[in-house]
Amino acid sequence: MCVRISSVLLLFFAYIFCCTSCEEEQQINPKTLKGRWELERGFRNQKETSTLAGTYFLFEAGSKMKTNLPVVPEELMDYELDKLTLQQKSSPPVKYEILTLNDSSLILGLEFRGMQFELRLQRAEDSLDSNIQQTWPYQQEPKPTSEDSTSDE
């Protein structure tokens, strides 16, 4: 009987410890978010929809973002990150839940006018290239030599 109670208590404390430590670790790095993200698939109320086709998000340095999602004007605006919540500082403010974020994919959840949206985005190719170029400024195109500039006779 005593072993059973102590086992239950041990499991309970292990569960509490894991839950609190997982919450503390969930913080988004703004550098991972930076760049252009384009919609791969969009869902409204758990059903795939084509009406979101062409949607993009652009995240820049200084906590600035732009999107053509028709809930706010398509202009550069401030945003704020708080753990897994991204709040676009528009009028009215729009809150997105970051469900997944890695180097190549971003999944955002959004509730708007009583409807649930899920936006599955992929990082745009040129966005990744520009981030690499900013990271590695010394990898430039080779300068043409005199041999390259000779004309065909």
Side-chain angles (χ1 to χ4, degrees), residues 35-51:
R36 182 180 170 97
W37 299 86
E38 297 174 347
L39 187 75
E40 180 184 37
R41 296 173 72 190
F43 296 85
R44 180 177 45 231
N45 293 329
Q46 293 84 34
K47 292 183 182 174
E48 191 164 358
T49 178
S50 61
T51 58

Side-chain angles (χ1 to χ4, degrees), residues 45-121:
N45 293 329
Q46 293 84 34
K47 292 183 182 174
E48 191 164 358
T49 178
S50 61
T51 58
L52 297 170
T55 299
Y56 75 88
F57 285 80
L58 177 66
F59 296 95
E60 296 185 353
S63 297
K64 299 281 186 187
M65 73 176 283
K66 181 178 182 179
T67 182
N68 64 346
L69 192 65
V71 295
V72 294
E74 189 176 351
E75 58 188 42
L76 208 56
M77 296 183 186
D78 292 328
Y79 73 90
E80 185 176 89
L81 282 173
D82 183 25
K83 295 185 182 174
L84 297 178
T85 302
L86 185 152
Q87 181 166 331
Q88 189 171 6
K89 295 185 175 183
S90 54
S91 182
V94 180
K95 276 189 179 180
Y96 304 91
E97 182 181 351
I98 299 173
L99 304 173
T100 300
L101 174 61
N102 58 44
D103 291 341
S104 61
S105 66
L106 169 63
I107 301 177
L108 296 175
L110 163 69
E111 184 179 334
F112 185 70
R113 294 186 180 167
M115 293 181 279
Q116 296 291 323
F117 291 90
E118 183 176 299
L119 309 168
R120 296 182 184 179
L121 305 141

Side-chain angles (χ1 to χ4, degrees), residues 14-33:
Y15 173 77
I16 296 296
F17 176 75
C18 287
C19 288
T20 57
S21 64
C22 290
E23 288 177 10
E24 293 170 5
E25 293 174 10
Q26 295 180 349
Q27 184 65 33
I28 299 298
N29 182 347
K31 290 180 182 179
T32 308
L33 196 58

